[in-house]
Amino acid sequence: MHMLCILLQLLILTFFIPIFFVFLLHRPFEPQALAAASGLFLFLLLLTLLLREHTENRLNPLRENSPRPLGALLVFLGCGLEWLSWLMVTEQYHPDGRRGQMLVIVIKLIGPWLPAAVFFVLGMQLVWFGFRAWHGR
């Protein structure tokens, strides 16, 4: 199973490298698209780390659990929520799908500041819990 996780990570990196260079060479340069693609691949890499941790715990029940992969995932998700709040405040949030359109309706009704503040606070909490989990407390 450990070899499968390494192969998945190599496959993810193999797909990310050409996409990274396409985003860098594409004109006009769009840093948000590059950040979104990088975030997707980072999320996939973090999931492979969680898979490895889960597999090792399942194979050896007496093994001590490492909180670092879960802490890194929580920090990543918290930063994503903070980025979403920034997009809402700067009015760059244009979602597709039904749930996103409901959020746009809420933003039109009460303004972008209250939903952005809620997402920012939730993101800060996830970052805080992630750092605490990273340090094993």
Side-chain angles (χ1 to χ4, degrees):
M1 192 61 156
H2 184 67
M3 189 62 154
L4 180 65
C5 287
I6 292 174
L7 287 174
L8 280 173
Q9 289 171 350
L10 287 175
L11 183 68
I12 290 168
L13 287 176
T14 303
F15 284 133
F16 174 67
I17 291 171
I19 289 174
F20 180 74
F21 284 115
V22 165
F23 276 117
L24 284 180
L25 298 176
H26 185 263
R27 297 290 176 231
F29 178 68
E30 297 176 7
Q32 288 183 345
L34 180 63
S38 300
L40 172 69
F41 284 102
L42 179 65
F43 181 69
L44 291 174
L45 284 173
L46 286 172
L47 286 179
T48 59
L49 291 175
L50 282 173
L51 174 66
R52 185 180 73 190
E53 187 69 29
H54 173 71
T55 303
E56 290 176 4
N57 285 342
R58 195 179 66 216
L59 292 175
N60 184 6
L62 299 176
R63 182 179 172 275
E64 186 67 31
N65 208 4
S66 174
R68 288 184 182 227
L70 182 62
L73 184 67
L74 287 175
V75 168
F76 174 74
L77 292 175
C79 290
L81 282 177
E82 290 170 1
W83 184 44
L84 175 65
S85 69
W86 172 256
L87 290 177
M88 291 163 107
V89 168
T90 59
E91 297 178 0
Q92 297 176 4
Y93 181 68
H94 304 290
D96 295 330
R98 202 163 102 195
R99 283 187 217 138
Q101 293 301 324
M102 284 191 272
L103 184 58
V104 167
I105 291 170
V106 169
I107 290 173
K108 286 181 181 177
L109 287 175
I110 62 175
W113 289 99
L114 184 62
V118 168
F119 282 121
F120 183 77
V121 168
L122 288 175
M124 288 300 289
Q125 286 180 341
L126 282 177
V127 168
W128 173 254
F129 291 141
F131 277 127
R132 291 196 43 100
W134 178 270
H135 292 294
R137 288 184 250 151

